Amino acid sequence: MVLKTLKVLLVLHMIKRKKIKLVSFSSREIEEKKAEQPVMVKICKITKESPGVKIFFFESDVKFTPGQFVMVWIPLLDEKPFTISYFQDNILGISVLKRGLFTSVLHSKKVGDTIGIRGPYGRGFNIKTNLNVCVVGGGIGMASLTTLVDKLNSVNNKQGLNITIIHGARTAAEILYQKRFRDMKLCTEDGTAGFKGTAVDLFENLIKRQRFDTVYACGPEKMLYKIFELCQRNKTNCEVSLDRYIKCGFGVCGQCDCSGRRICVDGPVFNMEELSEMKDFGKMTVTKTGERVIC
Amino acid sequence: MVLKTLKVLLVLHMIKRKKIKLVSFSSREIEEKKAEQPVMVKICKITKESPGVKIFFFESDVKFTPGQFVMVWIPLLDEKPFTISYFQDNILGISVLKRGLFTSVLHSKKVGDTIGIRGPYGRGFNIKTNLNVCVVGGGIGMASLTTLVDKLNSVNNKQGLNITIIHGARTAAEILYQKRFRDMKLCTEDGTAGFKGTAVDLFENLIKRQRFDTVYACGPEKMLYKIFELCQRNKTNCEVSLDRYIKCGFGVCGQCDCSGRRICVDGPVFNMEELSEMKDFGKMTVTKTGERVIC
Amino acid sequence: MRVSVSKIDLSVSLCNIKLTNPTILASGILGTTKALLKRVAENGAGAVTIKSVSVEPREGHKNPTVITFEAGMLNAVGYSNPGVEAAAREFKDLQDVSVPVIASVIGTQKKDFVRVVEGFSKTKFSAIEIPLSCPHTPGFGLLAGQGTPKATFEITSAVRRLTKLPVFVKVSPNIPEICTIAKAAEDAGADAITAVNSMGPGMIINIEAQKPILSFKVGGISGDALRPVAVRCVYDLYKAIKIPIIGVGGISTGRHAIEMLMAGASAVEIGTGVYYRGVDVFRKVCGEMTVWMQENGIKNVKSIIGVAHD
Amino acid sequence: MRVSVSKIDLSVSLCNIKLTNPTILASGILGTTKALLKRVAENGAGAVTIKSVSVEPREGHKNPTVITFEAGMLNAVGYSNPGVEAAAREFKDLQDVSVPVIASVIGTQKKDFVRVVEGFSKTKFSAIEIPLSCPHTPGFGLLAGQGTPKATFEITSAVRRLTKLPVFVKVSPNIPEICTIAKAAEDAGADAITAVNSMGPGMIINIEAQKPILSFKVGGISGDALRPVAVRCVYDLYKAIKIPIIGVGGISTGRHAIEMLMAGASAVEIGTGVYYRGVDVFRKVCGEMTVWMQENGIKNVKSIIGVAHD
Ligand SMILES: Cc1cc2nc3c(=O)[nH]c(=O)nc-3n(C[C@H](O)[C@H](O)[C@H](O)COP(=O)(O)OP(=O)(O)OC[C@H]3O[C@@H](n4cnc5c(N)ncnc54)[C@H](O)[C@@H]3O)c2cc1C
Ligand SMILES: Cc1cc2nc3c(=O)[nH]c(=O)nc-3n(C[C@H](O)[C@H](O)[C@H](O)COP(=O)(O)OP(=O)(O)OC[C@H]3O[C@@H](n4cnc5c(N)ncnc54)[C@H](O)[C@@H]3O)c2cc1C
Ligand SMILES: Cc1cc2nc3c(=O)[nH]c(=O)nc-3n(C[C@H](O)[C@H](O)[C@H](O)COP(=O)(O)O)c2cc1C
Ligand SMILES: Cc1cc2nc3c(=O)[nH]c(=O)nc-3n(C[C@H](O)[C@H](O)[C@H](O)COP(=O)(O)O)c2cc1C
Ligand code: FES
Ligand code: FES
């Protein structure tokens, strides 16, 4: 009750401070109305990053933060989320792992074909400067971290930043971005490249010997949960990017819930404090029907 | 045909120059959307200007140009146009001549009552500086000219402006704004005050002897037409404010037509060039049903 | 891919009426006098429609009759018009207007439509539009039960028998059975369907006055709010009927017009767009269509009609 | 004239359910999990509604399922939901949610509604809302003929017999006979009418792709575009029925909520407002209502219900 009164007073205070316009006709503070609709872009280049992963490049003047994603529309088929994994001038790229119908159709697209893009959506990574940073990417999860690494490098250029990149894959052929980040620490489950074992194993080895100021991670949720636990234990700050089935992408449909937080607007990137409050993290996910199931 | 092509090219040129945004979702150049809806204001003062005319004052931060009007709404009754005839700080005033039902109900309003206001609408007078100016107001038409005179006085304060104000009425009791403009040249049809005769008669006398750079007029259309003719003959610039039945007030319903020009947005003030093209001026008006009839 | 401006062809043909471009002034907006029609024509419209005319003069509803909100416009003008006699006088000598002029004819009963059409028999209109779909005028349109297949068939047939001019029947977006209504019109010999009239009706209350703002309390909704509904109606009608469709509702940019054509319209009417962008909305829309067609390699606007269908 | 904040009373009572304020989360927005309901409650809602639940799990339509345009939102989610068994699991222990929780129950036939209500018999919902009005899901709502007086009466009666909880029937703004439908619900024992569901449907075509954007092609319209229609429906219903009305459609500010109450609503639901202003739209709307009431000397929000009527 006291809390409620306090909250009402706070709102009243905000209104007084004109954050909420009241008298005028439109008392919504959001003035600029954006349309959540796909814009068609032409694919201008396609590269093959691994047997299962292609990168699609297109022109767009969309501004985004590393970790944000776009919804990719193939008319009459479906629309699905993909992280922006490449960004230079006005050329953006998405890295697509072929999994089911949608990604297969996307893989069949040629240069000159068009796809729809809406976004960017979500809250990306927090860029910390001047630190010892570790980036851990499991499989295609590495895609979310690429532009983060680029950004960290550009921001911290001459400030003694130290980035350790751990990239895990099942086997050597599935390793991504090897040319882009030449000094990645690799690990494969079958030992065909780098350290034999998972990214978590390698990270655990490293964190025993080395102090990181921030750890950024993206990949399978089980992996993310273990990294989060290791960071908690080592009192190391971390941010992870989560994955849920996405429909609207802008926070209304409730499909992408993780313990009351929406992946699409409150995430996909969450910090430790948030993660520690999210009971479903690492345990429950939500299916396409909206059922909460063990993940 | 050539003309049409030229026009298309002009539009294309404007588009290129970004006056019309094309690629973005909303390609309308009008971004700020205003609601054409009355806002309730409280009457804070009422003065009696003549037996038939009351001035109603209210607070409003509406910005306007002399000659513009507002639509005054009495809920469940009707909504009609009135010129803003008084303006100081955030206090506006309208001068209302009691004629029929609406103005009678308005006259019965008390201080503290509320009325609805939307606007300002229309294109007001062009403020010319540093000139010999004549202002001619017939009856309640004088209301449209009051804030023009105020503005001319304030703009031209020390620049040697010379304003002649002619105000005509049927009889002495109907003369308006006598305290406000002490040096008005008055005329009454019955000779009970000032010159005996119409404002046109007096104006004709004056213009024979004196050169005006600009003449501003508002009043019955027959009067306006005669003043316009006199100005044409004397090669004197003039601007007059016309009157038609107003419904929407913002240019869509077509009710207020005068030869293809809408009083409510293209006017109510027109210049000589425009007036000379308006065949209906002084001849035809439009009734409430939309019928064009001799005026 | 790019097409030069001079090659872009915006002309369409609507029931054998040639239009230099597909934009038409919608009924009820500015179409009160010949002078206003002329002005709209000079501002780029491919054709113009007069404000609807009934047998007798009508004052319409009291003011406020037209208001706007952030998503569109509400109107309850109430079919004010000078009656057919005065209107026939006003619209004689239509040759002064450089583009085709469409008459809009209303009535409370079948015989009224007939009388108005007869009253216009000496006037050089290019087509007759009959709106059976006004949502806010007692005695007319939906409030007189004219939005049923039966009434639509009867009124359309009566007008059809009377005139050789193309007859357009204007339908309401409020009726779920819009395709059935349109088919009834088609069966009765209509030459085109105008889709759609204003939507709703809707109401806006001034909360300080605690009263609805429109004097008729409710009014038809037009403008942006209506566009997706209008596009859906045109899309559905395109599949259901064979006669051409004139798309109306919320069009104020070239992109909107193209969307409506793709849904299946052969031409578009613009009403509230005049408020959003001025009397020259027609020229602006055509300019924007031209640029878009250039950039997308489309020479002939006729080629995009209905392309959104599978 | 001015009232101090502490004296402002926003509480309302809806079919004997006490709400600390009249704002309710509308069905289909965020109501998928208990955690989200909790979050909405913490953000100031007076009550919350779950996303509609059917007997069997449903994946709903393919994406895009929700898009927006300048005047509102279009959605064709297609009633994706985990089915009543999983939903009953999800919504057990509702005491964690600090405000009343309303169940939304859908079905393709009468017996489905019954099965879902039975499936929820152990769940501590405060009321049951049955939307008979979805415009874009085959097998449900309007597309299953549930928007007729007869179907409304039958389904409502069946649900009524089964439960002691208040039953809200959610109606469509698309049906001209909205009052007849609502009366049928009232006659069948409904405790309140929720007015309205989304409007249309509407369609938006991407002109570069030349295709409708929504995978179901059409979707229900909500948000600003819907508000005047929703206000008119509530105004008409207030005159036609005796049971309370929950007003829904385009509410995102305190002024909008007040307008809806003045039209005759006893409480309001907010859906698309979450998009316009965030999850804390409920707190913002209540704050704005409070300030307005202060300035206009109104202490008790209940006193403004229906005041726009003569
Ligand atoms: C924020 C975010 C960013 C992503 N970024 C990338 C990326 O950069 N590159 C990449 O290859 N993949 C990315 N994904 C996953 C990508 O969306 C799925 O791989 C893709 O949707 C699979 O579709 P499909 O039809 O080919 O496979 P399906 O057979 O339909 O599904 C395979 C799996 O993909 C996931 N998936 C399917 N549909 C969705 C959906 N609508 N939303 C979320 N997950 C879905 C599910 O886990 C499903 O089990 C991202 C997902 C999220 C949530
Ligand atoms: C741009 C403009 C500015 C005006 N400014 C003023 C002003 O400052 N002071 C003032 O007293 N009057 C002004 N008028 C005239 C004023 O609107 C009418 O006097 C008023 O509407 C009369 O209403 P009523 O019901 O009292 O009279 P009615 O008996 O209804 O009408 C009396 C006469 O008023 C005129 N009138 C009525 N309704 C309208 C309408 N909707 N639009 C235009 N004219 C109408 C007609 O000429 C009519 O014959 C202005 C009119 C216009 C067009
Ligand atoms: C102020 C106003 C008056 C209207 N009057 C008429 C009318 O007299 N006859 C008619 O058929 N339609 C009338 N309409 C409907 C329009 O012709 C059109 O069908 C509708 O407004 C939708 O198009 P828009 O969104 O481009 O305005 C009117 C609309 C407005 C806004
Ligand atoms: C994305 C979305 C999903 C919806 N899903 C449902 C639903 O499952 N059940 C239902 O009764 N209404 C559903 N609706 C309708 C809303 O509950 C509400 O009636 C409508 O959106 C109008 O209110 P608003 O303008 O505040 O959104 C949905 C609306 C939206 C926008
Ligand atoms: S995907 Fe709809 S809320 Fe996140
Ligand atoms: S009053 Fe409507 S156009 Fe002027």
Side-chain angles (χ1 to χ4, degrees), chain B residues 121-168:
Chain B
Y121 289 118
R123 189 185 61 165
F125 293 100
N126 237 312
I127 309 292
K128 305 272 170 66
T129 49
N130 225 346
L131 296 165
N132 266 334
V133 164
C134 181
V135 168
V136 189
I140 187 68
M142 194 62 213
S144 296
L145 300 163
T146 52
T147 56
L148 170 70
V149 173
D150 291 347
K151 183 83 178 203
L152 286 171
N153 277 327
S154 80
V155 170
N156 294 279
N157 222 349
K158 285 144 202 151
Q159 299 177 36
L161 170 86
N162 191 355
I163 310 184
T164 308
I165 307 177
I166 301 177
H167 175 37

Side-chain angles (χ1 to χ4, degrees), chain D residues 32-92:
Chain D
T32 45
T33 64
K34 193 176 72 177
L36 278 172
L37 296 181
K38 235 177 112 174
R39 179 160 173 204
V40 172
E42 284 158 6
N43 276 286
V48 292
T49 314
I50 66 166
K51 177 151 184 58
S52 304
V53 170
S54 55
V55 176
E56 299 296 334
R58 290 178 52 83
E59 293 195 344
H61 297 309
K62 289 221 146 96
N63 243 17
T65 47
V66 195
I67 55 178
T68 68
F69 68 117
E70 71 267 62
M73 185 177 281
L74 249 73
N75 94 80
V77 172
Y79 278 149
S80 63
N81 81 85
V84 66
E85 212 185 294
R89 242 183 353 256
E90 178 65 28
F91 298 115
K92 66 169 198 266

Side-chain angles (χ1 to χ4, degrees), chain A residues 137-273:
Chain A
I140 187 68
M142 194 62 214
S144 295
L145 301 163
T146 51
T147 55
L148 170 70
V149 173
D150 290 348
K151 183 84 178 202
L152 286 171
N153 277 327
S154 79
V155 169
N156 293 280
N157 221 350
K158 285 142 202 150
Q159 301 179 34
L161 168 87
N162 191 356
I163 311 184
T164 307
I165 307 176
I166 301 177
H167 176 36
R170 273 182 309 183
T171 183
E174 290 180 4
I175 289 171
L176 303 171
Y177 313 115
Q178 255 182 308
K179 286 186 191 144
R180 188 163 169 188
F181 307 118
R182 295 194 180 269
D183 50 1
M184 290 194 293
K185 290 193 195 302
L186 303 177
C187 43
T188 49
E189 288 172 29
D190 64 2
T192 43
F195 174 88
K196 184 172 192 304
T198 66
V200 174
D201 298 334
L202 182 54
F203 176 70
E204 193 167 6
N205 285 350
L206 283 187
I207 206 171
K208 276 182 195 147
R209 290 180 278 128
Q210 199 176 336
R211 164 116 213 109
F212 296 117
D213 299 295
T214 299
V215 175
Y216 298 102
C218 184
E221 197 154 318
K222 293 277 178 225
M223 164 190 131
L224 297 178
Y225 191 74
K226 285 182 190 148
I227 287 180
F228 163 74
E229 282 188 320
L230 285 168
C231 287
Q232 264 194 328
R233 221 172 296 148
N234 287 275
K235 306 219 177 331
T236 300
N237 186 36
C238 82
E239 291 192 1
V240 313
S241 177
L242 298 183
D243 195 335
R244 283 289 179 283
Y245 201 94
I246 303 287
K247 282 182 180 168
C248 68
F250 46 82
V252 307
C253 75
Q255 169 67 42
C256 63
D257 170 61
C258 183
S259 298
R261 287 193 161 88
R262 297 158 298 177
I263 299 303
C264 70
V265 275
D266 304 319
V269 175
F270 295 98
N271 62 32
M272 283 189 101
E273 201 188 323

Side-chain angles (χ1 to χ4, degrees), chain B residues 20 30 36 247 254 266 292, chain C residues 32 39 68 90 275-276 288:
Chain B
I20 305 170
I30 300 167
E36 314 294 349
K247 283 184 178 167
D266 305 318
R292 268 177 69 235
Chain C
T32 44
R39 178 161 174 205
T68 69
E90 177 64 27
Y275 168 68
Y276 288 131
E288 290 156 3

Side-chain angles (χ1 to χ4, degrees), chain C residues 156-258:
Chain C
T156 309
S157 303
V159 172
R160 171 74 296 161
R161 275 194 293 276
L162 222 63
T163 179
K164 289 210 175 87
L165 292 178
V167 175
F168 306 161
V169 175
K170 187 166 178 182
V171 296
S172 168
N174 302 335
I175 302 187
E177 310 75 31
I178 184 167
C179 290
T180 320
I181 310 285
K183 268 193 210 139
E186 186 175 36
D187 290 346
D191 299 282
I193 298 294
T194 306
V196 294
N197 211 317
S198 56
M199 170 174 78
M203 173 185 285
I204 295 179
I205 294 167
N206 180 302
I207 64 174
E208 280 79 22
Q210 308 194 346
K211 288 286 166 269
I213 300 174
L214 291 174
S215 78
F216 189 63
K217 295 196 172 94
V218 302
I221 297 169
S222 60
D224 290 332
L226 174 57
R227 192 168 57 255
V229 173
V231 169
R232 184 261 304 167
C233 290
V234 169
Y235 188 92
D236 286 349
L237 289 170
Y238 188 76
K239 290 182 290 186
I241 57 173
K242 290 187 196 70
I243 52 176
I245 303 155
I246 302 161
V248 206
I251 296 173
S252 67
T253 72
R255 294 187 70 85
H256 299 160
I258 291 166

